[in-house]
Amino acid sequence: MKVIIIGSGLAGPAMALALKRHNISCKVFDLRDQAAFDGGFVALAPNALRALDRIGVYDRIRTQGWNYEEFRFLSSRNLSRIATVLNGSQRKYGYPALRISRGIVRQTLVDVLQEQQIELHFNAKCVQFEETDHSTVIATFADGYIEEADFLIGADGIHSRVRSHLDPNAVPTFSGQLGVGGSLSKSKLPKSGQEMYMPCLILGKLNSFMFMPCTYSGDRVNCFATVEGEDRSREEWTELQNDKSALYEILQSHHENERWPEVVHVASKSVDLSSLSLWPNNYYKVPELSSWSSSSGRGFVIGDAAHAMPPTGGQGAAMAFEDALTLANTLALLDQKESAPHQDLVSQWQVARKDRVKKILAFTSKGGDMRKSSASTFQQLVKEWVMWAYFLLRGKDAGLSWIYEYDTEKLVL
Ligand SMILES: Cc1cc2nc3c(=O)[nH]c(=O)nc-3n(C[C@H](O)[C@H](O)[C@H](O)COP(=O)(O)OP(=O)(O)OC[C@H]3O[C@@H](n4cnc5c(N)ncnc54)[C@H](O)[C@@H]3O)c2cc1C
């Protein structure tokens, strides 16, 4: 069996490593240059780390980010605690949660992939994907190169070219929000900030501000604001991403219409300019696809290409890894049982994954609702009380074990 993977973000390399476990050969293609750097940070929950452990990546990244278990919601009025939620637990889930640079995760995946001698081609933009009538797929690249295989996996992100082949009408729409953030040395925070519990999300009346340590020792802190903005073309987003002074201005303007604690002002003023990044991508919504596979069951989309989700649940990368490992297991099953009903297995995989992603999306939008602005200080107070009561009733795991306990190896088709 031969597989073509389009995209070497997070889902693509995870897919390649998961196929390698089954001795299935694949080639990965990415339109970017090898040196392209991924900015920003991700919080990897136990379900993401369990998947990375299975493909030999977890041990390499474990000490390159901040390991934590509890996450707190604080009020912007006086930094008082609204609620504490368990985001990871060595004892309960087998893994803590990990806040880490997205670039480190992606580079480690690529390193492991290259050590395992899996072919990875950069500057390779897939422009077309066709299915032949002799049960193969053909990918065509911008420079005219052509590759044929048994299956093609589109792990090509939110603006996926492969998805446009499966469903030309599934065009992402901008949600009106974007995240801007960077990192700074913890020592630059005022004393009150250095003593404040982290990771935490400070909920304001109009907005929210996140503080998360992002190195193993916790000496650096990633801070992050969700702000409102207008849609732009992809070229304009890239231009803004590279304009660090403009990003700095956006981060400052976050405080204009609201009183924030000193720690928020100091952090946004002291953030290292070079670390500032903007990532509007996950604030685009992809309409629900009728299918994640082509009519022949030989072309697939996974990760953000199939179901981009807002970052408010911290599950985008986790879903990409889960898709990759479960799809690799499904393809391995097809490889073993030449005569197995191909479409049956493909659709069973799809039903199981769509069901899980739908539930995760519902959880993620609840996280988004918590961050929505309140019309008045009274309404903000009511929101804080409702959150306090809700989390008190649900207990420390907040009823989230179904998310964090998920194990890709337990999906039996
Ligand atoms: C601000 C922010 C915070 C987030 N926080 C979290 C978090 O805390 N936890 C979490 O789990 N997730 C988080 N996420 C989400 C997570 O980063 C994404 O879900 C994840 O990166 C998706 O991986 P992917 O491989 O599907 O797509 P991508 O990482 O976007 O990779 C797609 C790749 O495909 C390539 N490509 C595109 N088109 C082509 C083509 N035509 N030919 C060849 N190559 C192509 C691109 O160059 C790219 O390398 C966050 C996202 C944002 C924006």
PDB file of all heavy atoms in Angstrom, residues 376-406:
ATOM      1  N   SER A 376     -22.763  44.599  30.982  1.00  0.00           N
ATOM      2  CA  SER A 376     -22.562  45.495  32.127  1.00  0.00           C
ATOM      3  C   SER A 376     -21.738  44.760  33.184  1.00  0.00           C
ATOM      4  O   SER A 376     -21.555  43.536  33.115  1.00  0.00           O
ATOM      5  CB  SER A 376     -23.919  45.843  32.738  1.00  0.00           C
ATOM      6  OG  SER A 376     -24.502  44.649  33.216  1.00  0.00           O
ATOM      7  N   THR A 377     -21.279  45.515  34.185  1.00  0.00           N
ATOM      8  CA  THR A 377     -20.513  44.892  35.263  1.00  0.00           C
ATOM      9  C   THR A 377     -21.412  43.902  36.003  1.00  0.00           C
ATOM     10  O   THR A 377     -20.957  42.836  36.428  1.00  0.00           O
ATOM     11  CB  THR A 377     -19.995  45.977  36.226  1.00  0.00           C
ATOM     12  OG1 THR A 377     -19.293  46.925  35.444  1.00  0.00           O
ATOM     13  CG2 THR A 377     -19.088  45.413  37.296  1.00  0.00           C
ATOM     14  N   PHE A 378     -22.701  44.235  36.130  1.00  0.00           N
ATOM     15  CA  PHE A 378     -23.625  43.326  36.805  1.00  0.00           C
ATOM     16  C   PHE A 378     -23.696  41.991  36.046  1.00  0.00           C
ATOM     17  O   PHE A 378     -23.601  40.920  36.645  1.00  0.00           O
ATOM     18  CB  PHE A 378     -25.015  43.969  36.908  1.00  0.00           C
ATOM     19  CG  PHE A 378     -26.033  43.046  37.517  1.00  0.00           C
ATOM     20  CD1 PHE A 378     -25.980  42.725  38.870  1.00  0.00           C
ATOM     21  CD2 PHE A 378     -27.027  42.468  36.731  1.00  0.00           C
ATOM     22  CE1 PHE A 378     -26.902  41.841  39.427  1.00  0.00           C
ATOM     23  CE2 PHE A 378     -27.948  41.583  37.278  1.00  0.00           C
ATOM     24  CZ  PHE A 378     -27.890  41.277  38.630  1.00  0.00           C
ATOM     25  N   GLN A 379     -23.810  42.102  34.715  1.00  0.00           N
ATOM     26  CA  GLN A 379     -23.894  40.875  33.919  1.00  0.00           C
ATOM     27  C   GLN A 379     -22.590  40.066  34.029  1.00  0.00           C
ATOM     28  O   GLN A 379     -22.618  38.832  34.066  1.00  0.00           O
ATOM     29  CB  GLN A 379     -24.157  41.240  32.459  1.00  0.00           C
ATOM     30  CG  GLN A 379     -24.987  40.182  31.771  1.00  0.00           C
ATOM     31  CD  GLN A 379     -25.199  40.531  30.318  1.00  0.00           C
ATOM     32  OE1 GLN A 379     -24.264  40.522  29.527  1.00  0.00           O
ATOM     33  NE2 GLN A 379     -26.435  40.843  29.969  1.00  0.00           N
ATOM     34  N   GLN A 380     -21.474  40.766  34.133  1.00  0.00           N
ATOM     35  CA  GLN A 380     -20.189  40.076  34.292  1.00  0.00           C
ATOM     36  C   GLN A 380     -20.174  39.305  35.616  1.00  0.00           C
ATOM     37  O   GLN A 380     -19.762  38.151  35.692  1.00  0.00           O
ATOM     38  CB  GLN A 380     -19.035  41.087  34.249  1.00  0.00           C
ATOM     39  CG  GLN A 380     -17.667  40.416  34.296  1.00  0.00           C
ATOM     40  CD  GLN A 380     -16.533  41.401  34.553  1.00  0.00           C
ATOM     41  OE1 GLN A 380     -16.776  42.603  34.718  1.00  0.00           O
ATOM     42  NE2 GLN A 380     -15.322  40.912  34.597  1.00  0.00           N
ATOM     43  N   LEU A 381     -20.699  39.971  36.663  1.00  0.00           N
ATOM     44  CA  LEU A 381     -20.760  39.333  37.986  1.00  0.00           C
ATOM     45  C   LEU A 381     -21.634  38.082  37.949  1.00  0.00           C
ATOM     46  O   LEU A 381     -21.273  37.042  38.501  1.00  0.00           O
ATOM     47  CB  LEU A 381     -21.364  40.316  38.991  1.00  0.00           C
ATOM     48  CG  LEU A 381     -20.378  41.107  39.822  1.00  0.00           C
ATOM     49  CD1 LEU A 381     -21.093  42.207  40.574  1.00  0.00           C
ATOM     50  CD2 LEU A 381     -19.689  40.154  40.808  1.00  0.00           C
ATOM     51  N   VAL A 382     -22.780  38.211  37.267  1.00  0.00           N
ATOM     52  CA  VAL A 382     -23.694  37.053  37.174  1.00  0.00           C
ATOM     53  C   VAL A 382     -22.984  35.911  36.459  1.00  0.00           C
ATOM     54  O   VAL A 382     -23.031  34.746  36.889  1.00  0.00           O
ATOM     55  CB  VAL A 382     -25.010  37.447  36.442  1.00  0.00           C
ATOM     56  CG1 VAL A 382     -25.869  36.229  36.157  1.00  0.00           C
ATOM     57  CG2 VAL A 382     -25.777  38.485  37.256  1.00  0.00           C
ATOM     58  N   LYS A 383     -22.278  36.250  35.355  1.00  0.00           N
ATOM     59  CA  LYS A 383     -21.558  35.211  34.596  1.00  0.00           C
ATOM     60  C   LYS A 383     -20.538  34.502  35.502  1.00  0.00           C
ATOM     61  O   LYS A 383     -20.432  33.278  35.504  1.00  0.00           O
ATOM     62  CB  LYS A 383     -20.864  35.836  33.386  1.00  0.00           C
ATOM     63  CG  LYS A 383     -20.171  34.818  32.508  1.00  0.00           C
ATOM     64  CD  LYS A 383     -19.724  35.421  31.198  1.00  0.00           C
ATOM     65  CE  LYS A 383     -18.334  35.978  31.314  1.00  0.00           C
ATOM     66  NZ  LYS A 383     -17.838  36.557  30.066  1.00  0.00           N
ATOM     67  N   GLU A 384     -19.825  35.278  36.309  1.00  0.00           N
ATOM     68  CA  GLU A 384     -18.822  34.684  37.200  1.00  0.00           C
ATOM     69  C   GLU A 384     -19.474  33.746  38.216  1.00  0.00           C
ATOM     70  O   GLU A 384     -18.976  32.658  38.484  1.00  0.00           O
ATOM     71  CB  GLU A 384     -18.050  35.791  37.936  1.00  0.00           C
ATOM     72  CG  GLU A 384     -17.102  36.530  37.003  1.00  0.00           C
ATOM     73  CD  GLU A 384     -16.391  37.686  37.695  1.00  0.00           C
ATOM     74  OE1 GLU A 384     -16.486  37.813  38.934  1.00  0.00           O
ATOM     75  OE2 GLU A 384     -15.746  38.471  36.985  1.00  0.00           O
ATOM     76  N   TRP A 385     -20.635  34.159  38.747  1.00  0.00           N
ATOM     77  CA  TRP A 385     -21.331  33.313  39.728  1.00  0.00           C
ATOM     78  C   TRP A 385     -21.833  32.025  39.085  1.00  0.00           C
ATOM     79  O   TRP A 385     -21.736  30.947  39.673  1.00  0.00           O
ATOM     80  CB  TRP A 385     -22.512  34.082  40.351  1.00  0.00           C
ATOM     81  CG  TRP A 385     -22.056  34.925  41.498  1.00  0.00           C
ATOM     82  CD1 TRP A 385     -21.760  36.260  41.471  1.00  0.00           C
ATOM     83  CD2 TRP A 385     -21.801  34.493  42.850  1.00  0.00           C
ATOM     84  NE1 TRP A 385     -21.336  36.685  42.709  1.00  0.00           N
ATOM     85  CE2 TRP A 385     -21.357  35.621  43.578  1.00  0.00           C
ATOM     86  CE3 TRP A 385     -21.897  33.261  43.505  1.00  0.00           C
ATOM     87  CZ2 TRP A 385     -21.015  35.562  44.921  1.00  0.00           C
ATOM     88  CZ3 TRP A 385     -21.558  33.201  44.846  1.00  0.00           C
ATOM     89  CH2 TRP A 385     -21.124  34.344  45.538  1.00  0.00           C
ATOM     90  N   VAL A 386     -22.358  32.160  37.863  1.00  0.00           N
ATOM     91  CA  VAL A 386     -22.869  30.968  37.171  1.00  0.00           C
ATOM     92  C   VAL A 386     -21.710  30.000  36.918  1.00  0.00           C
ATOM     93  O   VAL A 386     -21.818  28.791  37.160  1.00  0.00           O
ATOM     94  CB  VAL A 386     -23.577  31.363  35.844  1.00  0.00           C
ATOM     95  CG1 VAL A 386     -23.900  30.139  34.997  1.00  0.00           C
ATOM     96  CG2 VAL A 386     -24.843  32.156  36.140  1.00  0.00           C
ATOM     97  N   MET A 387     -20.579  30.542  36.470  1.00  0.00           N
ATOM     98  CA  MET A 387     -19.411  29.675  36.214  1.00  0.00           C
ATOM     99  C   MET A 387     -18.948  29.012  37.503  1.00  0.00           C
ATOM    100  O   MET A 387     -18.638  27.824  37.534  1.00  0.00           O
ATOM    101  CB  MET A 387     -18.254  30.507  35.628  1.00  0.00           C
ATOM    102  CG  MET A 387     -18.397  30.775  34.145  1.00  0.00           C
ATOM    103  SD  MET A 387     -17.017  31.773  33.542  1.00  0.00           S
ATOM    104  CE  MET A 387     -15.648  30.635  33.705  1.00  0.00           C
ATOM    105  N   TRP A 388     -18.894  29.795  38.575  1.00  0.00           N
ATOM    106  CA  TRP A 388     -18.443  29.276  39.875  1.00  0.00           C
ATOM    107  C   TRP A 388     -19.329  28.087  40.291  1.00  0.00           C
ATOM    108  O   TRP A 388     -18.846  27.025  40.658  1.00  0.00           O
ATOM    109  CB  TRP A 388     -18.507  30.407  40.910  1.00  0.00           C
ATOM    110  CG  TRP A 388     -18.220  29.954  42.305  1.00  0.00           C
ATOM    111  CD1 TRP A 388     -16.997  29.741  42.856  1.00  0.00           C
ATOM    112  CD2 TRP A 388     -19.185  29.637  43.325  1.00  0.00           C
ATOM    113  NE1 TRP A 388     -17.125  29.310  44.154  1.00  0.00           N
ATOM    114  CE2 TRP A 388     -18.455  29.234  44.460  1.00  0.00           C
ATOM    115  CE3 TRP A 388     -20.577  29.651  43.378  1.00  0.00           C
ATOM    116  CZ2 TRP A 388     -19.084  28.851  45.652  1.00  0.00           C
ATOM    117  CZ3 TRP A 388     -21.195  29.265  44.554  1.00  0.00           C
ATOM    118  CH2 TRP A 388     -20.464  28.882  45.671  1.00  0.00           C
ATOM    119  N   ALA A 389     -20.654  28.304  40.183  1.00  0.00           N
ATOM    120  CA  ALA A 389     -21.595  27.260  40.620  1.00  0.00           C
ATOM    121  C   ALA A 389     -21.493  26.035  39.718  1.00  0.00           C
ATOM    122  O   ALA A 389     -21.493  24.889  40.180  1.00  0.00           O
ATOM    123  CB  ALA A 389     -23.020  27.821  40.607  1.00  0.00           C
ATOM    124  N   TYR A 390     -21.363  26.268  38.404  1.00  0.00           N
ATOM    125  CA  TYR A 390     -21.293  25.171  37.445  1.00  0.00           C
ATOM    126  C   TYR A 390     -20.087  24.274  37.733  1.00  0.00           C
ATOM    127  O   TYR A 390     -20.206  23.056  37.847  1.00  0.00           O
ATOM    128  CB  TYR A 390     -21.209  25.741  36.016  1.00  0.00           C
ATOM    129  CG  TYR A 390     -20.986  24.691  34.958  1.00  0.00           C
ATOM    130  CD1 TYR A 390     -22.064  23.965  34.444  1.00  0.00           C
ATOM    131  CD2 TYR A 390     -19.700  24.392  34.484  1.00  0.00           C
ATOM    132  CE1 TYR A 390     -21.864  22.982  33.484  1.00  0.00           C
ATOM    133  CE2 TYR A 390     -19.496  23.410  33.528  1.00  0.00           C
ATOM    134  CZ  TYR A 390     -20.582  22.707  33.039  1.00  0.00           C
ATOM    135  OH  TYR A 390     -20.373  21.729  32.099  1.00  0.00           O
ATOM    136  N   PHE A 391     -18.918  24.900  37.884  1.00  0.00           N
ATOM    137  CA  PHE A 391     -17.700  24.101  38.095  1.00  0.00           C
ATOM    138  C   PHE A 391     -17.698  23.436  39.468  1.00  0.00           C
ATOM    139  O   PHE A 391     -17.166  22.345  39.631  1.00  0.00           O
ATOM    140  CB  PHE A 391     -16.444  24.945  37.875  1.00  0.00           C
ATOM    141  CG  PHE A 391     -16.179  25.201  36.408  1.00  0.00           C
ATOM    142  CD1 PHE A 391     -16.347  26.455  35.857  1.00  0.00           C
ATOM    143  CD2 PHE A 391     -15.780  24.165  35.576  1.00  0.00           C
ATOM    144  CE1 PHE A 391     -16.114  26.684  34.500  1.00  0.00           C
ATOM    145  CE2 PHE A 391     -15.546  24.372  34.221  1.00  0.00           C
ATOM    146  CZ  PHE A 391     -15.712  25.639  33.683  1.00  0.00           C
ATOM    147  N   LEU A 392     -18.349  24.096  40.440  1.00  0.00           N
ATOM    148  CA  LEU A 392     -18.436  23.489  41.777  1.00  0.00           C
ATOM    149  C   LEU A 392     -19.255  22.203  41.704  1.00  0.00           C
ATOM    150  O   LEU A 392     -18.892  21.164  42.253  1.00  0.00           O
ATOM    151  CB  LEU A 392     -19.090  24.489  42.740  1.00  0.00           C
ATOM    152  CG  LEU A 392     -18.975  24.136  44.202  1.00  0.00           C
ATOM    153  CD1 LEU A 392     -17.537  24.355  44.676  1.00  0.00           C
ATOM    154  CD2 LEU A 392     -19.914  25.005  45.046  1.00  0.00           C
ATOM    155  N   LEU A 393     -20.367  22.267  40.972  1.00  0.00           N
ATOM    156  CA  LEU A 393     -21.245  21.099  40.860  1.00  0.00           C
ATOM    157  C   LEU A 393     -20.599  19.977  40.052  1.00  0.00           C
ATOM    158  O   LEU A 393     -20.764  18.799  40.359  1.00  0.00           O
ATOM    159  CB  LEU A 393     -22.562  21.490  40.181  1.00  0.00           C
ATOM    160  CG  LEU A 393     -23.541  22.266  41.053  1.00  0.00           C
ATOM    161  CD1 LEU A 393     -24.722  22.751  40.238  1.00  0.00           C
ATOM    162  CD2 LEU A 393     -24.045  21.382  42.204  1.00  0.00           C
ATOM    163  N   ARG A 394     -19.855  20.339  39.000  1.00  0.00           N
ATOM    164  CA  ARG A 394     -19.273  19.308  38.136  1.00  0.00           C
ATOM    165  C   ARG A 394     -18.066  18.635  38.770  1.00  0.00           C
ATOM    166  O   ARG A 394     -17.650  17.566  38.336  1.00  0.00           O
ATOM    167  CB  ARG A 394     -18.816  19.885  36.783  1.00  0.00           C
ATOM    168  CG  ARG A 394     -19.865  20.485  35.888  1.00  0.00           C
ATOM    169  CD  ARG A 394     -20.970  19.578  35.463  1.00  0.00           C
ATOM    170  NE  ARG A 394     -20.620  18.284  34.965  1.00  0.00           N
ATOM    171  CZ  ARG A 394     -20.935  17.819  33.753  1.00  0.00           C
ATOM    172  NH1 ARG A 394     -21.569  18.580  32.906  1.00  0.00           N
ATOM    173  NH2 ARG A 394     -20.636  16.595  33.398  1.00  0.00           N
ATOM    174  N   GLY A 395     -17.465  19.280  39.781  1.00  0.00           N
ATOM    175  CA  GLY A 395     -16.251  18.713  40.389  1.00  0.00           C
ATOM    176  C   GLY A 395     -15.039  19.135  39.585  1.00  0.00           C
ATOM    177  O   GLY A 395     -15.168  19.760  38.526  1.00  0.00           O
ATOM    178  N   LYS A 396     -13.851  18.752  40.098  1.00  0.00           N
ATOM    179  CA  LYS A 396     -12.626  19.287  39.516  1.00  0.00           C
ATOM    180  C   LYS A 396     -12.390  18.862  38.059  1.00  0.00           C
ATOM    181  O   LYS A 396     -11.825  19.605  37.270  1.00  0.00           O
ATOM    182  CB  LYS A 396     -11.430  18.871  40.359  1.00  0.00           C
ATOM    183  CG  LYS A 396     -10.494  20.021  40.572  1.00  0.00           C
ATOM    184  CD  LYS A 396      -9.370  19.586  41.449  1.00  0.00           C
ATOM    185  CE  LYS A 396      -8.579  20.762  41.922  1.00  0.00           C
ATOM    186  NZ  LYS A 396      -7.520  20.364  42.803  1.00  0.00           N
ATOM    187  N   ASP A 397     -12.848  17.645  37.700  1.00  0.00           N
ATOM    188  CA  ASP A 397     -12.588  17.239  36.306  1.00  0.00           C
ATOM    189  C   ASP A 397     -13.597  17.867  35.351  1.00  0.00           C
ATOM    190  O   ASP A 397     -13.515  17.700  34.141  1.00  0.00           O
ATOM    191  CB  ASP A 397     -12.513  15.723  36.153  1.00  0.00           C
ATOM    192  CG  ASP A 397     -13.882  15.051  36.207  1.00  0.00           C
ATOM    193  OD1 ASP A 397     -14.901  15.744  36.389  1.00  0.00           O
ATOM    194  OD2 ASP A 397     -13.922  13.811  36.069  1.00  0.00           O
ATOM    195  N   ALA A 398     -14.559  18.617  35.905  1.00  0.00           N
ATOM    196  CA  ALA A 398     -15.550  19.371  35.127  1.00  0.00           C
ATOM    197  C   ALA A 398     -16.278  18.498  34.100  1.00  0.00           C
ATOM    198  O   ALA A 398     -16.750  18.992  33.082  1.00  0.00           O
ATOM    199  CB  ALA A 398     -14.878  20.562  34.440  1.00  0.00           C
ATOM    200  N   GLY A 399     -16.329  17.184  34.365  1.00  0.00           N
ATOM    201  CA  GLY A 399     -17.022  16.268  33.439  1.00  0.00           C
ATOM    202  C   GLY A 399     -16.291  16.129  32.109  1.00  0.00           C
ATOM    203  O   GLY A 399     -16.915  15.838  31.085  1.00  0.00           O
ATOM    204  N   LEU A 400     -14.964  16.351  32.122  1.00  0.00           N
ATOM    205  CA  LEU A 400     -14.221  16.338  30.848  1.00  0.00           C
ATOM    206  C   LEU A 400     -13.418  15.056  30.608  1.00  0.00           C
ATOM    207  O   LEU A 400     -12.666  14.976  29.642  1.00  0.00           O
ATOM    208  CB  LEU A 400     -13.272  17.547  30.780  1.00  0.00           C
ATOM    209  CG  LEU A 400     -13.934  18.919  30.905  1.00  0.00           C
ATOM    210  CD1 LEU A 400     -12.911  20.034  30.822  1.00  0.00           C
ATOM    211  CD2 LEU A 400     -14.978  19.109  29.810  1.00  0.00           C
ATOM    212  N   SER A 401     -13.609  14.040  31.488  1.00  0.00           N
ATOM    213  CA  SER A 401     -12.799  12.814  31.326  1.00  0.00           C
ATOM    214  C   SER A 401     -13.004  12.197  29.945  1.00  0.00           C
ATOM    215  O   SER A 401     -12.076  11.616  29.396  1.00  0.00           O
ATOM    216  CB  SER A 401     -13.164  11.757  32.352  1.00  0.00           C
ATOM    217  OG  SER A 401     -13.554  12.317  33.517  1.00  0.00           O
ATOM    218  N   TRP A 402     -14.229  12.285  29.401  1.00  0.00           N
ATOM    219  CA  TRP A 402     -14.491  11.678  28.087  1.00  0.00           C
ATOM    220  C   TRP A 402     -13.574  12.261  27.008  1.00  0.00           C
ATOM    221  O   TRP A 402     -13.256  11.613  26.030  1.00  0.00           O
ATOM    222  CB  TRP A 402     -15.957  11.819  27.684  1.00  0.00           C
ATOM    223  CG  TRP A 402     -16.385  13.257  27.484  1.00  0.00           C
ATOM    224  CD1 TRP A 402     -16.816  14.125  28.429  1.00  0.00           C
ATOM    225  CD2 TRP A 402     -16.376  14.003  26.252  1.00  0.00           C
ATOM    226  NE1 TRP A 402     -17.091  15.357  27.887  1.00  0.00           N
ATOM    227  CE2 TRP A 402     -16.835  15.307  26.546  1.00  0.00           C
ATOM    228  CE3 TRP A 402     -16.048  13.696  24.921  1.00  0.00           C
ATOM    229  CZ2 TRP A 402     -16.956  16.304  25.583  1.00  0.00           C
ATOM    230  CZ3 TRP A 402     -16.175  14.691  23.959  1.00  0.00           C
ATOM    231  CH2 TRP A 402     -16.627  15.973  24.300  1.00  0.00           C
ATOM    232  N   ILE A 403     -13.124  13.506  27.208  1.00  0.00           N
ATOM    233  CA  ILE A 403     -12.203  14.120  26.235  1.00  0.00           C
ATOM    234  C   ILE A 403     -10.800  13.579  26.451  1.00  0.00           C
ATOM    235  O   ILE A 403     -10.139  13.114  25.523  1.00  0.00           O
ATOM    236  CB  ILE A 403     -12.173  15.664  26.396  1.00  0.00           C
ATOM    237  CG1 ILE A 403     -13.553  16.252  26.141  1.00  0.00           C
ATOM    238  CG2 ILE A 403     -11.124  16.287  25.472  1.00  0.00           C
ATOM    239  CD1 ILE A 403     -13.611  17.771  26.262  1.00  0.00           C
ATOM    240  N   TYR A 404     -10.356  13.622  27.721  1.00  0.00           N
ATOM    241  CA  TYR A 404      -8.942  13.351  27.994  1.00  0.00           C
ATOM    242  C   TYR A 404      -8.590  11.864  28.044  1.00  0.00           C
ATOM    243  O   TYR A 404      -7.441  11.494  27.870  1.00  0.00           O
ATOM    244  CB  TYR A 404      -8.536  14.038  29.313  1.00  0.00           C
ATOM    245  CG  TYR A 404      -8.760  15.541  29.280  1.00  0.00           C
ATOM    246  CD1 TYR A 404      -9.209  16.234  30.406  1.00  0.00           C
ATOM    247  CD2 TYR A 404      -8.534  16.263  28.118  1.00  0.00           C
ATOM    248  CE1 TYR A 404      -9.417  17.612  30.371  1.00  0.00           C
ATOM    249  CE2 TYR A 404      -8.746  17.637  28.070  1.00  0.00           C
ATOM    250  CZ  TYR A 404      -9.182  18.298  29.192  1.00  0.00           C
ATOM    251  OH  TYR A 404      -9.387  19.659  29.147  1.00  0.00           O
ATOM    252  N   GLU A 405      -9.592  10.998  28.314  1.00  0.00           N
ATOM    253  CA  GLU A 405      -9.286   9.562  28.419  1.00  0.00           C
ATOM    254  C   GLU A 405      -9.243   8.865  27.062  1.00  0.00           C
ATOM    255  O   GLU A 405      -8.881   7.705  26.963  1.00  0.00           O
ATOM    256  CB  GLU A 405     -10.337   8.876  29.301  1.00  0.00           C
ATOM    257  CG  GLU A 405     -10.046   9.074  30.775  1.00  0.00           C
ATOM    258  CD  GLU A 405     -11.195   8.648  31.674  1.00  0.00           C
ATOM    259  OE1 GLU A 405     -12.282   8.288  31.157  1.00  0.00           O
ATOM    260  OE2 GLU A 405     -11.009   8.694  32.909  1.00  0.00           O
ATOM    261  N   TYR A 406      -9.646   9.546  26.022  1.00  0.00           N
ATOM    262  CA  TYR A 406      -9.768   8.904  24.704  1.00  0.00           C
ATOM    263  C   TYR A 406      -8.451   8.258  24.270  1.00  0.00           C
ATOM    264  O   TYR A 406      -7.388   8.856  24.365  1.00  0.00           O
ATOM    265  CB  TYR A 406     -10.178   9.961  23.666  1.00  0.00           C
ATOM    266  CG  TYR A 406     -10.479   9.389  22.301  1.00  0.00           C
ATOM    267  CD1 TYR A 406     -11.745   8.916  21.997  1.00  0.00           C
ATOM    268  CD2 TYR A 406      -9.491   9.323  21.315  1.00  0.00           C
ATOM    269  CE1 TYR A 406     -12.024   8.399  20.738  1.00  0.00           C
ATOM    270  CE2 TYR A 406      -9.761   8.809  20.060  1.00  0.00           C
ATOM    271  CZ  TYR A 406     -11.025   8.354  19.775  1.00  0.00           C
ATOM    272  OH  TYR A 406     -11.312   7.843  18.534  1.00  0.00           O
TER     273      TYR A 406
END
